[in-house]
Amino acid sequence: MSPFYHIPYYPAFDKMTPENAAPAFTQLLAEAQAAIDALEKHNTLSWSGLIRPLYDACHPLYDAWGILCHMLSVMNSESWRRVQENVQPEIVAFSLRVGQSRTFYQGFCALRERDKAESFLTAVQRRILTKTIQGAEQAGVGLPPEKQARFNAIQMELAKLSTGFRNHVLDATKAYSITLKTPEEADGLPPALLAVAAQAVNDAGEATATAANGPWRITLDTAVYLPFMMHSRNRTAREQLYRAYATRASSGLSDNTQVIEQCLALRRELAELLGFQTFADLSLSTKTAKAVAVVDSLITQLANASYGAGQREASDLLTFARQHGFTEDTLQPWDITFWAERQRELLFDYSDEELSRYFLFPHVLEGLFSFAERLFDIKITPADKEVPVWHPDVRFFRVADKDGTPLACFYLDPYSRPETKNSGAWMNDFRTRDRRPDGSLQLPMAVLVCNQSVPVGNALPVMRFQEVNTLFHEFGHALQHMLTTVEEPDASGVNGIEWDAIEIASQFMENWCYDRATLKGLSRHAETGSELPDALFDKLVAAKNYRAATAMLRQVFFAATDMDLYARYPRPEWPDADTVKRTNANKYSPTPLLPEDRFLCSFGHIFGGGYAAGYYSYKWSEVLSADAFAAFEEAGLGDDVAVRATGRRFRNTLLALGGGEDPMDVYRRFRGRAPSIDALLRHSGLSATA
Ligand SMILES: [Zn+2]
């Protein structure tokens, strides 16, 4: 039996292969089709007579599909891609068939009417039903046949384009590297990077390389690219690499230029078919921000608070560089990261490299867990070897309530594997909390995927501070998924939460990386074993807001470009998507973009992922998460009793209620009032009162 066929609670990851995936999908599809057909004929107007059986009919197929997509994202290969590409059209067709069933739609509406009269649904069920009806409407259930056929063709095409977009970026990232041959060419690179870069040469079997004598292979993988741009004194190589990075997936076989225009055009058409003016209107109709004007106003407020400071940061950096040997009149894009790191080192007197010696991965993990245990009254226990995993580096943990009641479990796939793993970091839900009709309870299961630096040889697994931050972020998502108390699978954990509210818990967790007790608790020097000294912590906090306006404006630039592309493009003055990007860069970016910049071609969030007309969600959530953290500050971060009480309230509201209630109402329950933008500006040092 294929390990993809009716996947057990603990999937047999070690037995899954592209070869045994395909036949399972044929069977699962047939079974799901048959179950759906039967349910259309025989259903009753109740939760257990319609909604639950519908979930159960689709679940084994969607479950297998989710796991297949997971395997592709962490173990990418030609054969996994082929299976995914073959199965995808059938999944899309199946979900459209369910979503567009008039029988089900009429059933949902009738159920809603019955509930209005008799009020037998729970509040959570009512919310799920409302969203299901909206979902059916947005899946084209009300369209006449010829429009529905077009709608389906568009959905199919969009799914293909989005997968293609991601694969292009991965291919382009893999295809490029430069090899440095002499120590002069590798000048400035920290030892850890030299080791990774020499290892890459050895792995490719091109030569016998050593960290000390090279050669060193530098790639566009973020874990290599970023430290290289920060530290390399080889300006020519920095320029080469920057240009390659900024033009990824914009030419040759992995060119995304047309994919972008096709995505935009198809999404415009999709929105029109459903009666929306723009795709942004369609996208926002299911988000908490609700309207384009609300997003525009957020963007304007953030831009206004940061623009002046951003320009000052740019001119300060140029002055600094010129005082330290830079002889030209303007800093090029490939100079900025390098000089910013030099300025940061001098201003705050520590290096990213030096700081990373305090963050040993196993100890960071232990610290993160005991922090979560203190704040949320839970217990986390390693349980490696109890379950199969997809790669030897993957860890497994169990989560219990303070009294020992099991709550959840999760996998952690920590290290970068540029050859086979998508870049970035993410959390997936494999299982969600579910009280089944027979009364049994399924516990949530999460997976955290990171791309942190790989220890080479006998080197200790140290983490860059940014990687610690990312781990906290993904763990925040996982906590929200695992500590849910909702028992309807469509609204438990991270399910059913409006897209633009999904980053609140994750970004909230990042704030704790700047809390003294928390950070010291997870630090231990790789060589001396000592914890992070107070003086270094103070510098880290001071450095946090270093170039904060520049960082803010970068996110504003992305969010504004996304909104323009999906709400206002095309226009006569905007012949192509790249012009929209350039217009926004001129408006918001304190330093000009390279004329050849083709950043949109690797902007996977809005073309290869779910952030189309939703990129603003990051800032929107940041406003809320900063304001949530401010509740702890107001309670007094040094006051253990107050912090625990506030943490408990956070668990009982934001982490527990998930998609079972409007996120804005949940937020008000935690905070006692609507969110305010002030805390974010204060934390970033951008408000008058900072
Ligand atoms: Zn996130």
Side-chain angles (χ1 to χ4, degrees):
M1 195 61 76
S2 162
F4 280 91
Y5 183 72
H6 291 269
I7 301 178
Y9 183 76
Y10 300 108
F13 288 114
D14 55 339
K15 301 213 164 50
M16 289 176 174
T17 64
E19 292 71 32
N20 62 32
F25 280 94
T26 313
Q27 248 175 310
L28 288 168
L29 263 159
E31 285 174 17
Q33 295 281 10
I36 289 295
D37 292 345
L39 187 64
E40 273 185 334
K41 288 198 190 75
H42 306 284
N43 62 71
T44 53
L45 286 190
S46 64
W47 195 261
S48 60
L50 177 61
I51 307 289
R52 182 71 210 196
L54 183 57
Y55 176 86
D56 289 336
C58 301
H59 185 69
L61 177 65
Y62 288 163
D63 184 29
W65 172 245
I67 299 284
L68 172 63
C69 292
H70 167 73
M71 291 306 279
L72 185 71
S73 66
V74 293
M75 299 297 280
N76 201 305
S77 71
E78 260 316 306
S79 25
W80 277 117
R81 278 188 200 187
R82 260 199 310 279
V83 180
Q84 203 250 10
E85 280 163 12
N86 288 340
V87 176
Q88 186 173 55
E90 304 201 60
I91 298 285
V92 176
F94 174 79
S95 69
L96 285 171
R97 184 241 177 282
V98 176
Q100 292 172 348
S101 159
R102 278 173 201 269
T103 311
F104 291 145
Y105 179 63
Q106 282 156 5
F108 302 150
C109 294
L111 187 59
R112 179 168 59 184
E113 288 312 306
R114 218 196 111 196
D115 177 57
K116 267 185 195 152
E118 301 168 33
S119 190
F120 55 89
L121 295 179
T122 65
V124 170
Q125 290 174 335
R126 206 164 288 138
R127 192 172 126 94
I128 294 173
L129 184 60
T130 305
K131 285 176 156 249
T132 307
I133 291 173
Q134 188 184 35
E137 284 164 356
Q138 298 196 351
V141 73
L143 295 176
E146 70 286 356
K147 285 195 173 178
Q148 201 172 65
R150 178 63 192 144
F151 180 91
N152 293 356
I154 293 175
Q155 290 289 32
M156 196 68 86
E157 192 55 28
L158 278 172
K160 223 161 57 185
L161 286 172
S162 150
T163 305
F165 189 96
R166 287 194 304 272
N167 286 338
H168 282 168
V169 176
L170 190 65
D171 289 343
T173 305
K174 266 163 63 173
Y176 186 90
S177 69
I178 58 171
T179 303
L180 307 174
K181 297 200 173 68
T182 65
E184 294 72 55
E185 287 177 343
D187 188 20
L189 302 187
L193 180 57
L194 288 172
V196 172
Q199 188 61 40
V201 172
N202 289 329
D203 289 346
E206 286 159 8
T208 311
T210 61
N213 299 313
W216 303 272
R217 187 174 178 208
I218 308 296
T219 65
L220 298 182
D221 175 37
T222 319
V224 173
Y225 173 78
L226 206 62
F228 182 84
M229 295 307 281
M230 286 163 87
H231 297 291
S232 171
R233 298 192 169 274
N234 181 344
R235 191 174 184 227
T236 315
R238 282 205 318 259
E239 176 176 353
Q240 269 180 307
L241 222 51
Y242 181 89
R243 285 182 185 278
Y245 195 81
T247 56
R248 268 183 309 161
S250 70
S251 64
L253 285 176
S254 44
D255 189 354
N256 273 334
T257 313
Q258 280 316 307
V259 180
I260 288 172
E261 299 296 340
Q262 285 166 342
C263 269
L264 291 168
L266 288 171
R267 288 194 170 124
R268 278 198 301 276
E269 198 185 336
L270 195 74
E272 268 168 46
L273 279 171
L274 294 175
F276 289 89
Q277 246 180 344
T278 69
F279 181 78
D281 293 318
L282 168 61
S283 162
L284 291 173
S285 72
T286 55
K287 295 183 167 72
T288 61
K290 299 275 190 273
V292 175
V294 176
V295 178
D296 288 345
S297 146
L298 173 75
I299 290 174
T300 308
Q301 282 185 64
L302 295 175
N304 288 345
S306 345
Y307 196 75
Q311 285 186 313
R312 270 196 306 282
E313 288 169 2
S315 65
D316 285 355
L317 186 63
L318 178 62
T319 308
F320 171 85
R322 290 182 57 87
Q323 284 165 352
H324 292 83
F326 185 74
T327 52
E328 294 180 19
D329 291 333
T330 39
L331 288 168
Q332 295 299 329
W334 47 87
D335 297 321
I336 291 175
T337 312
F338 174 80
W339 284 109
E341 180 61 12
R342 299 292 82 68
Q343 189 186 30
R344 205 183 55 73
E345 279 172 7
L346 200 85
L347 277 177
F348 307 108
D349 189 29
Y350 72 89
S351 68
D352 195 52
E353 189 68 11
E354 177 193 349
L355 185 61
S356 75
R357 304 309 294 169
Y358 285 95
F359 301 118
L360 274 169
F361 175 50
H363 200 68
V364 167
L365 213 50
E366 231 173 82
L368 167 61
F369 293 167
S370 59
F371 159 74
E373 292 174 353
R374 180 174 82 103
L375 210 60
F376 304 124
D377 269 343
I378 52 173
K379 183 89 199 121
I380 301 170
T381 326
D384 303 293
K385 307 261 184 281
E386 286 182 20
V387 298
V389 291
W390 52 92
H391 188 279
D393 289 343
V394 176
R395 306 276 322 266
F396 182 74
F397 302 89
R398 294 190 188 281
V399 182
D401 218 333
K402 202 175 59 177
D403 65 5
T405 314
L407 288 175
C409 58
F410 65 97
Y411 300 84
L412 170 64
D413 185 351
Y415 297 121
S416 152
R417 290 192 298 275
E419 292 295 310
T420 54
K421 191 164 160 183
N422 287 357
S423 60
W426 63 91
M427 193 284 299
N428 255 354
D429 56 319
F430 284 156
R431 306 278 167 246
T432 194
R433 190 176 174 93
D434 179 10
R435 178 74 63 186
R436 298 199 192 82
D438 65 5
S440 65
L441 179 67
Q442 171 182 270
L443 294 179
M445 174 191 279
V447 56
L448 284 80
V449 184
C450 296
N451 261 298
Q452 66 200 44
S453 318
V454 190
V456 175
N458 292 327
L460 291 165
V462 294
M463 298 170 79
R464 294 195 299 117
F465 179 67
Q466 189 48 49
E467 294 170 342
V468 176
N469 234 284
T470 301
L471 181 64
F472 268 66
H473 177 106
E474 300 310 332
F475 196 66
H477 283 305
L479 282 172
Q480 185 168 35
H481 187 64
M482 298 189 296
L483 299 185
T484 187
T485 54
V486 177
E487 302 194 331
E488 291 289 349
D490 283 331
S492 71
V494 294
N495 295 289
I497 299 181
E498 278 76 355
W499 190 276
D500 57 353
I502 205 89
E503 298 294 336
I504 299 172
S506 54
Q507 295 186 343
F508 164 80
M509 283 296 287
E510 288 186 47
N511 286 290
W512 293 96
C513 291
Y514 292 94
D515 172 53
R516 187 184 303 268
T518 310
L519 197 69
K520 285 183 76 162
L522 49 85
S523 66
R524 173 184 288 174
H525 195 274
E527 279 77 37
T528 65
S530 60
E531 71 172 14
L532 188 72
D534 280 315
L536 188 50
F537 174 79
D538 291 337
K539 289 181 201 165
L540 177 70
V541 172
K544 172 177 172 266
N545 290 335
Y546 169 66
R547 291 171 64 78
T550 306
M552 177 76 84
L553 288 167
R554 192 172 157 78
Q555 292 297 311
V556 164
F557 159 50
F558 292 168
T561 303
D562 169 46
M563 246 330 124
D564 277 346
L565 284 172
Y566 286 110
R568 293 174 270 263
Y569 175 76
R571 284 180 171 194
E573 68 271 32
W574 290 339
D576 52 31
D578 209 61
T579 313
V580 178
K581 176 206 72 181
R582 208 159 292 284
T583 309
N584 279 298
N586 291 339
K587 201 161 153 193
Y588 298 116
S589 176
T591 46
L593 283 187
L594 202 63
E596 305 89 300
D597 176 277
R598 300 297 303 284
F599 147 73
L600 285 183
C601 288
S602 55
F603 197 7
H605 284 85
I606 70 165
F607 299 114
Y611 280 88
Y615 195 85
Y616 74 93
S617 305
Y618 282 106
K619 281 294 151 194
W620 182 259
S621 301
E622 224 180 300
V623 166
L624 274 84
S625 59
D627 192 48
F629 185 71
F632 288 83
E633 294 176 316
E634 287 158 22
L637 287 175
D639 181 343
D640 192 56
V641 176
V643 165
R644 280 169 188 261
T646 314
R648 192 68 212 188
R649 194 167 79 241
F650 190 82
R651 176 180 166 185
N652 290 342
T653 52
L654 275 128
L655 298 180
L657 301 176
E661 212 177 289
D662 184 303
M664 287 298 144
D665 294 339
V666 174
Y667 188 82
R668 270 184 287 267
R669 278 205 203 201
F670 167 67
R671 200 65 169 102
R673 58 160 173 77
S676 139
I677 197 171
D678 298 345
L680 176 61
L681 294 179
R682 176 170 56 82
H683 291 159
S684 316
L686 292 171
S687 64
T689 54

